[in-house]
């Protein structure tokens, strides 16, 4: 049976995040040809609608309101539920981002529905769709199906293929007005600590440094390599605890979970709690002085050596490659 | 202040996961309090010590979870409650868990509820916000700082590394992020005292909830381990050759560049 699927597009600093397009990819599998309606919530976002359609949405509904300028669970859930009430979807897809993680359980509770969080793969389609998600910090996976009610899933960034961008696709972008009241949280200020440039949880390439980087300055060569590869810099908790970098870069069980195409671990021993955040990366490269380091057990390629020698050489080599 | 902490019993983070017959093997595994819930317990104790009141730790699970409740009491919580589902439910999910926890809490008038932001086993991060929604109270997730003045609350929330300074009010549910505090270890006198603290056990029949309202909405069909990675290739030879070889491999073999 075809299903009508609502996808929440996520806007960050005026642009749609990639995970929004990946969510449409997931919606496509669930919908089996049914309608895909993208929802955008914010202050002035109407113009972003077309991009959701180019990536496969059939139609876009926006809610614009000054109270939606920054995310709050109260504001966004009121706006989203208003769309749900008028659209009556069979399924809902969010990204498993900070926003998606915060909002989805509240919406699921209001819908009295199940919620399959942090989905990394989908088998089958429509009513037969089975969702794959990591459990035990990626040490195992489970296959989950929805037995009853609305099919609601959040998808982990970088795991579900988006549909091909097609600029010739067109569709209706409409807006509904929602009265947003009773916001119980006020955001006084946002202190930005995450590095400019490529977002760590969505980066295709991550260069991560550990205690072996030895100092704040020690991260410089990693940043240069990241720039050449259009990637993001990450870190182990060892490096964060030692104050070489901000905790916003921490990858692992108590930090971010990343699944880039390429993960380069430099001066990281490979503790189990670190692996929890990166072991599902497609290709892992380890650079470590110690040939016995645990990180080599999960690495696809390893170089035993001093990162301060290897990383600059790598940067040069990639630069040469780019120049050709 | 009437403070509740939601805690979950989970596998030790160091534990190797063994799957047989599509299920996780629990025999012989070490269990702990979910690490994020330890932050929640610590914060609850600090809030109580500063503002007075009582800390109750609440878990849903089987008899075995009593051990984690006792640990929380030894850290300094005042009372513990186990919603024992062992004999009543054989299928449950986050919907079920939240229904049960919220049903227990609905007539307890909590001022503050603390939870972990995510359980390191199930990993959905749903239970806290779901419980808050069912109780119709506000929630703030992934907090790294909590300050209470009367009914006004100031919070620092971690959002993918950025910090949001938030103003809100009680009653409130918060979920703990790493960095909120340093959880204390239970002291020996704490462990002795914990043995005498009240631990109440509640069963499904004691709650005011229909069996129909706790039927799981999702079902786990299978649990499996990720394909074992073949030992990777450690490159050999002169360092500059290794670097060149690596770039070649990433381009032609792995095709990620
Ligand atoms: C509950 C809990 C949660 C945790 N959560 C996380 C988490 O989310 N993320 C996380 O990362 N950790 C986490 N940890 C910590 C984890 O156990 C490790 O302590 C941490 O990952 C170690 O960081 P590291 O690999 O950088 O440091 P180390 O283990 O000290 O390793 C440094 C490595 O650098 C190598 N090295 C040194 N100099 C050089 C050089 N010049 N060139 C090349 N290599 C060099 C060394 O050989 C060594 O292998 C957690 C721990 C606990 C208990
Ligand atoms: C057959 C079967 C049996 C199960 N038996 C149990 C069981 O005995 N015990 C069990 O915990 N789970 C059990 N579960 C799993 C249960 O459905 C989930 O653990 C639960 O829904 C929480 O989901 P989560 O792990 O994603 O937690 P998350 O939503 O990620 O947890 C976030 C936070 O919510 C709070 N929280 C989560 N779970 C609980 C809880 N159980 N009690 C109090 N606070 C909690 C904690 O503060 C935690 O940090 C069982 C599942 C099945 C299928």
């Amino acid at each position: 049976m075809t299903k009508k699927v609502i996808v929440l597009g996520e806007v960050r600093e005026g642009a749609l995040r990639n995970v929004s397009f990946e969510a449409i990819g997931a919606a496509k599998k669930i919908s089996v040809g049914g309608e895909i309606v993208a929802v955008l919530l914010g202050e002035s976002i109407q113009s972003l609608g077309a991009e959701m359609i180019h990536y496969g949405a059939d139609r876009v509904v926006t809610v614009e309101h000054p109270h939606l300028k920054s995310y709050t669970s109260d504001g966004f859930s009121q706006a989203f539920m208003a769309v749900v009430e008028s659209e009556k979807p069979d399924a809902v897809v969010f990204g498993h981002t900070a926003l998606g993680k915060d909002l989805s359980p509240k919406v699921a509770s209001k819908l009295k529905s199940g919620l399959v969080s942090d989905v990394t793969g989908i088998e089958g389609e429509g009513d037969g769709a089975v969702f794959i998600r990591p459990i035990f910090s990626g040490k195992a996976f489970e296959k989950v199906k929805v037995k009853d009610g609305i099919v609601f899933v959040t998808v982990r960034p970088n795991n579900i293929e988006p549909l091909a961008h097609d600029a010739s696709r067109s569709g209706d972008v409409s807006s509904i007005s929602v009265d947003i009241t009773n916001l119980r949280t006020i955001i006084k200020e946002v202190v930005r600590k995450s590095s400019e440039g490529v977002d760590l949880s969505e980066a295709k390439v991550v260069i991560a440094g550990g205690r072996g980087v030895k100092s704040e300055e020690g991260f410089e060569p990693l940043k240069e390599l990241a720039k050449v590869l259009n990637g993001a810099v990450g870190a182990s908790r060892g490096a964060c605890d030692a104050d070489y970098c901000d905790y916003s870069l921490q990858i692992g069980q108590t930090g971010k979970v990343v699944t880039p195409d390429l993960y380069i671990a430099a001066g990281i021993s490979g503790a189990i709690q670190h692996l929890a955040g990166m072991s599902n990366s497609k290709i892992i490269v380890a650079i470590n002085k110690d040939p016995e380091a645990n990180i080599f057990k999960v690495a696809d390629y390893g170089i035993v050596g001093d990162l301060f020698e290897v990383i600059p050489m790598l940067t040069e080599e990639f630069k040469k490659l780019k120049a050709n | 202040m009437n403070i509740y902490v939601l805690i979950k019993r989970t596998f030790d983070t160091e534990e190797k996961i063994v799957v047989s017959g599509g299920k996780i093997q629990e025999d012989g595994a070490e269990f702990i309090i979910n690490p994020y819930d330890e932050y929640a317990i610590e914060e609850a104790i600090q809030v109580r010590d500063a503002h007075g009141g009582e800390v109750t730790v609440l878990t849903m699970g089987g008899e075995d979870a009593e051990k984690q409740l006792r640990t929380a009491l030894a850290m300094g919580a005042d009372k513990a409650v186990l919603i024992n589902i062992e004999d009543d439910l054989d299928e449950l999910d986050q919907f079920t868990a939240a229904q049960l926890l919220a049903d227990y809490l609905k007539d307890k008038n909590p001022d503050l509820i603390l939870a972990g932001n995510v359980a390191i086993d199930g990993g959905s991060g749903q239970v806290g916000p779901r419980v808050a929604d069912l109780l119709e109270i506000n929630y703030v997730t992934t907090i790294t700082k909590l300050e209470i003045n009367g009914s006004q609350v100031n919070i620092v929330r971690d959002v993918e590394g950025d910090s949001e300074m938030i103003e809100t009010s009680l009653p409130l549910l918060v979920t703990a992020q790493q960095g909120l505090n340093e959880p204390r270890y239970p002291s020996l006198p704490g462990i002795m005292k914990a043995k005498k603290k009240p631990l109440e056990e509640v069963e499904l029949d004691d709650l005011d909830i229909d069996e129909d309202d706790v039927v799981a909405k999702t079902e786990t069909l299978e649990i499996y381990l990720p394909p074992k990675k073949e030992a990777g290739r450690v490159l050999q030879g002169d360092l500059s050759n290794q670097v060149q070889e690596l770039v070649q491999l990433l381009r032609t073999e792995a095709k990620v560049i």
Side-chain angles (χ1 to χ4, degrees):
Chain A
M1 204 187 67
T2 62
K3 287 188 189 297
K4 179 172 184 175
V5 188
I6 285 193
V7 173
L8 179 67
E10 195 176 323
V11 183
R12 182 165 163 157
E13 278 158 24
L16 286 161
R17 294 182 71 168
N18 270 336
V19 69
S20 313
F21 312 134
E22 295 163 3
I24 297 174
K28 191 80 187 172
K29 293 199 173 166
I30 300 167
S31 72
V32 237
E35 191 179 32
I36 299 174
V37 182
V39 176
L40 297 176
L41 312 174
E43 204 180 18
S44 46
I45 42 163
Q46 198 76 10
S47 61
L48 299 172
E51 192 71 352
M52 290 299 272
I53 288 172
H54 295 164
Y55 272 103
D58 297 305
R59 202 151 58 72
V60 177
V61 178
T62 66
V63 183
E64 295 183 304
H65 196 290
H67 284 166
L68 299 176
K69 183 164 186 245
S70 357
Y71 168 79
T72 60
S73 59
D74 279 337
F76 270 53
S77 63
Q78 287 172 39
F80 191 78
M81 287 309 290
V83 179
V84 166
E85 265 142 44
S86 73
E87 295 290 340
K88 308 207 171 10
D90 306 303
V92 177
V93 185
F94 286 9
H96 197 67
T97 56
L99 188 156
K101 285 181 218 176
D102 192 76
L103 182 64
S104 59
K106 183 176 177 110
V107 170
S109 175
K110 296 207 177 300
L111 294 170
K112 300 192 170 33
S113 74
L115 170 59
V116 189
S117 302
D118 202 15
V119 168
T120 56
I122 303 175
E123 286 179 351
E125 53 175 26
D127 290 323
V130 171
F131 302 100
I132 297 172
R133 61 185 298 273
I135 51 175
F136 296 91
S137 320
K139 286 189 236 171
F141 286 84
E142 64 173 349
K143 290 188 181 175
V144 182
K145 84 168 192 215
V146 177
K147 292 195 300 181
D148 180 29
I150 286 185
V151 174
F152 191 174
V153 304
T154 64
V155 294
R156 179 184 287 198
N158 255 342
N159 282 267
I160 311 281
E161 275 293 309
L163 305 175
H165 184 267
D166 177 358
S168 69
R169 279 178 61 89
S170 63
D172 188 40
V173 181
S174 62
S175 73
I176 63 171
S177 75
V178 181
D179 194 19
I180 291 167
T181 55
N182 187 29
L183 297 188
R184 292 171 295 186
T185 43
I186 304 165
I187 299 167
K188 299 300 248 189
E189 193 191 337
V190 181
V191 181
R192 298 232 175 265
K193 288 194 215 150
S194 45
S195 48
E196 349 47 87
V198 185
D199 182 61
L200 183 53
S201 50
E202 289 192 332
K204 296 277 180 213
V205 177
V206 173
I207 319 292
R211 220 191 304 266
V213 168
K214 294 195 179 67
S215 67
E216 202 179 330
E217 300 75 56
F219 265 95
E220 288 305 322
L222 276 64
K223 285 184 190 160
E224 257 178 63
L225 178 56
K227 214 178 194 175
V228 173
L229 294 176
N230 194 26
V233 173
S236 71
R237 175 151 144 195
C240 300
D241 282 345
D243 252 346
Y244 303 162
C245 63
D246 194 81
Y247 278 104
S248 62
L249 301 189
Q250 184 182 318
I251 289 164
Q253 185 176 285
T254 40
K256 289 194 171 113
V257 177
V258 296
T259 36
D261 292 344
L262 173 61
Y263 189 91
I264 301 182
I268 293 178
S269 61
I272 191 144
Q273 295 90 353
H274 186 76
L275 302 187
M278 45 65 76
S279 63
N280 299 132
S281 302
K282 284 184 198 96
I283 295 290
I284 297 168
V285 172
I287 301 166
N288 199 303
K289 279 206 301 210
D290 174 9
E292 301 300 320
N294 197 49
I295 191 76
F296 287 116
K297 296 211 180 99
V298 299
D300 298 278
Y301 306 112
I303 292 185
V304 176
D306 183 346
L307 73 94
F308 294 107
E309 276 184 70
V310 177
I311 295 278
M313 285 162 86
L314 261 179
T315 308
E316 281 317 305
E317 207 56 38
F318 281 120
K319 269 190 189 156
K320 272 195 237 160
L321 194 72
K322 294 249 148 140
N324 293 329
Chain B
M1 202 173 307
N2 190 12
I3 307 165
Y4 279 82
V5 188
L6 309 181
I7 72 169
K8 186 178 185 191
R9 168 183 181 264
T10 58
F11 266 65
D12 193 332
T13 56
E14 302 280 347
E15 206 65 52
K16 213 179 145 97
I17 304 298
V18 180
V19 174
S20 72
K23 285 210 167 75
I24 301 278
Q25 244 2 85
E26 296 200 350
D27 299 347
E30 284 290 325
F31 285 85
I32 56 171
I33 297 173
N34 180 40
Y36 291 100
D37 304 354
E38 287 188 345
Y39 299 121
I41 297 165
E42 174 64 36
E43 198 66 16
I45 294 168
Q46 290 185 17
V47 170
R48 178 204 59 200
D49 290 349
H51 300 271
E54 205 171 59
V55 174
T56 308
V57 284
L58 171 62
T59 194
M60 177 218 73
E63 204 81 46
D64 292 340
E66 276 189 16
K67 182 163 175 234
Q68 283 68 39
L69 289 173
R70 286 284 172 212
T71 305
L73 292 171
M75 285 172 75
D78 302 290
K79 297 196 304 194
V81 179
L82 167 66
I83 304 177
N84 191 342
I85 42 111
E86 211 161 330
D87 302 325
D88 295 320
L89 294 178
D90 37 38
E91 257 185 38
L92 51 157
D93 65 358
Q94 292 83 6
F95 169 82
T96 314
Q99 290 284 96
L100 290 168
L101 293 166
D103 190 79
Y104 176 82
L105 289 165
K106 72 183 179 204
D107 57 1
K108 305 290 184 293
N109 290 316
D111 299 298
L112 179 65
I113 304 173
L114 299 103
N117 97 68
V118 67
I120 58 164
D121 50 0
S124 76
Q126 293 180 25
V127 170
R130 274 188 185 265
V131 167
D133 186 69
L134 291 168
L135 296 173
E136 296 178 7
I137 64 172
N138 193 18
Y139 66 88
V140 182
T141 56
T142 59
I143 73 161
T144 55
K145 193 169 178 199
L146 177 69
E147 260 174 27
I148 301 176
N149 304 301
S151 76
Q152 202 198 306
V153 184
N154 290 306
I155 288 176
V156 180
R157 170 168 188 253
D158 169 63
V159 188
E160 295 177 357
D162 294 336
S163 298
E164 278 181 5
M165 314 293 156
I166 287 178
E167 217 175 83
T168 183
S169 57
L170 299 176
L172 180 70
L173 182 146
V174 293
T175 75
Q177 172 67 306
Q178 181 198 11
L180 180 60
N181 53 44
E182 268 309 317
R184 70 193 68 190
Y185 290 101
S187 65
L188 201 54
I191 294 169
M192 299 310 288
K193 267 199 237 161
K195 292 186 177 151
K196 299 201 193 81
K197 289 182 179 172
L199 192 159
E200 183 194 358
E201 199 175 309
V202 179
E203 299 203 353
L204 213 54
D205 284 347
D206 304 321
L207 296 174
D208 165 35
I209 199 164
D210 268 2
E211 293 240 359
D212 287 350
D213 292 334
V214 292
V215 179
K217 302 284 183 184
T218 60
E219 184 185 350
T220 297
L221 302 172
E222 188 190 339
I223 290 175
Y224 61 97
L225 297 176
K228 228 183 154 37
K229 262 199 132 154
E230 306 217 347
R233 183 156 13 142
V234 173
L235 306 181
Q236 307 290 340
D238 169 311
L239 208 53
S240 71
N241 288 338
Q242 286 188 37
V243 168
Q244 278 170 11
E245 191 186 349
L246 176 62
V247 172
Q248 273 311 313
L249 287 167
L250 292 176
R251 236 169 80 86
T252 54
E253 190 179 87
K255 299 194 171 65
V256 288
I257 293 297

